[in-house]
């Protein structure tokens, strides 16, 4: 059974047996939309990380870093179009300023960072935007592969790797991470009715 966080007001409305607001989600919608969000993120993350691994094997981190800037973003966009969703990655510590979080995304990021610091389980988050759209957030956690470009400089992130990255992203803030840190979030907008035909 998939578990998820829901806003407290919505939780109380359901737990209290009240009629849900017109825009609130039924439990069935929450389950389906959370599963749809997880499926899309899994697909996108798998495609990205296998392409990254291949590109590091072919040409080293320098080539892979360029891959990230010129290919990863269009690739994510293509998958998003196919699924009819809007999906992106964001973080509190940015490499590319274009990925800057909105105010709400910043709150979600900070919440996940705090939960991770307390050793809590991180769960996806679903929020109603309006009658037709929901927002889906899922934490991005640091794995061994990521350290080659986001790790601790001179330790897990070799200086020579970093020179390529620093050249491409002079204002980079996205280093110094350790395994299992919250690196960022996937942030997605999905049509609400998509739950019926997924
Ligand atoms: C080969 C180097 C490389 C590896 C390995 C790598 N990244 Fe990145 N990462 C980058 C580059 C370059 C960008 C900037 C992409 C852009 O311009 O949008 C980036 C951007 C990101 C962003 C978007 C937010 C931001 O700071 O701009 C996230 C989130 C992220 N990486 C997470 C990860 C995770 C998680 C892993 C491991 C699964 C990983 N990265 C592995 C190079 C790398």
């Amino acid at each position: 059974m998939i578990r998820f966080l829901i806003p407290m007001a919505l939780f109380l409305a359901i737990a209290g047996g009240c009629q849900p607001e017109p825009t609130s989600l039924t439990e069935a919608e929450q389950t389906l939309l959370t599963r749809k969000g997880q499926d899309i993120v899994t697909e996108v993350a798998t495609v990205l990380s296998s392409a990254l691994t291949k590109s590091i094997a072919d040409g080293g981190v320098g080539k892979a870093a360029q891959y990230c800037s010129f290919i990863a973003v269009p690739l994510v966009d293509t998958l998003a179009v196919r699924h009819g969703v809007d999906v992106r990655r964001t973080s509190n510590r940015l490499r590319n300023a274009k990925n800057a979080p909105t105010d709400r995304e910043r709150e979600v990021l900070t919440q996940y960072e705090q939960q991770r610091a307390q050793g809590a389980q991180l769960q996806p988050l679903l929020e109603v935007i309006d009658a037709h759209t929901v927002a889906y957030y899922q934490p991005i956690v640091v794995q061994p592969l990521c350290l080659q470009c986001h790790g601790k400089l001179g330790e897990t992130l070799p200086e020579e790797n970093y020179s390529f990255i620093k050249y491409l992203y002079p204002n980079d803030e996205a280093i110094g991470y350790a395994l299992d840190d919250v690196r960022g979030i996937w942030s997605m907008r999905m049509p609400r009715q998509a739950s019926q035909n997924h």
Side-chain angles (χ1 to χ4, degrees):
M1 174 70 185
I2 299 163
R3 293 174 53 221
F4 33 72
L5 301 175
I6 50 175
M8 188 51 82
L10 178 58
F11 174 76
L12 290 174
I14 291 169
C18 310
Q19 279 297 323
E21 291 291 306
T23 55
S24 67
L25 297 169
T26 64
E27 274 194 61
E29 276 182 312
Q30 289 185 29
T31 306
L32 281 166
L33 286 167
T34 302
R35 191 173 302 148
K36 181 181 160 86
Q38 280 177 324
D39 285 352
I40 295 174
V41 164
T42 302
E43 180 185 339
V44 176
T46 307
V47 169
L48 258 189
S49 81
S50 61
L52 257 185
T53 308
K54 183 174 182 304
S55 144
I56 292 174
D58 286 354
V61 162
K63 187 178 164 212
Q66 290 175 34
Y67 168 86
C68 242
S69 22
F70 302 121
I71 304 180
V73 173
L75 193 139
V76 170
D77 287 349
T78 307
L79 290 171
V81 168
R82 193 196 304 155
H83 289 287
V85 299
D86 178 24
V87 58
R88 64 193 211 102
R89 299 183 303 173
T90 183
S91 175
N92 270 342
R93 273 153 64 188
L94 291 170
R95 178 149 291 172
N96 186 342
K98 284 190 189 149
N99 299 323
T102 61
D103 289 347
R104 179 60 190 143
E105 285 168 341
R106 193 175 289 285
E107 284 171 11
V108 173
L109 280 158
T110 305
Q111 180 182 313
Y112 280 134
E113 286 165 1
Q114 287 167 352
Q115 287 174 349
R116 177 43 42 107
Q118 290 158 3
Q121 278 274 21
L122 306 182
Q123 303 291 344
L125 180 63
L126 201 57
E127 283 175 355
V128 174
I129 300 297
D130 58 36
H132 307 289
T133 314
V134 293
Y136 173 86
Y137 306 104
Q138 185 176 316
I140 301 175
V141 174
V142 174
Q143 302 157 31
L145 166 70
C146 322
L147 296 176
Q148 298 182 64
C149 298
H150 296 292
K152 293 196 169 68
L153 191 57
E155 297 176 33
T156 46
L157 169 57
E159 306 265 358
E160 64 269 25
N161 285 6
Y162 196 50
S163 59
F164 286 107
I165 293 168
K166 200 68 185 166
Y167 173 75
L168 291 169
Y169 302 90
N171 301 319
D172 183 37
E173 294 176 347
I175 61 167
Y177 288 94
L179 269 189
D180 293 334
D181 280 352
V182 173
R183 167 68 183 94
I185 52 171
W186 290 99
S187 176
M188 190 146 66
R189 292 285 168 103
M190 311 190 276
R192 205 175 143 156
Q193 67 276 18
S195 60
Q196 276 135 34
N197 51 26
H198 180 67

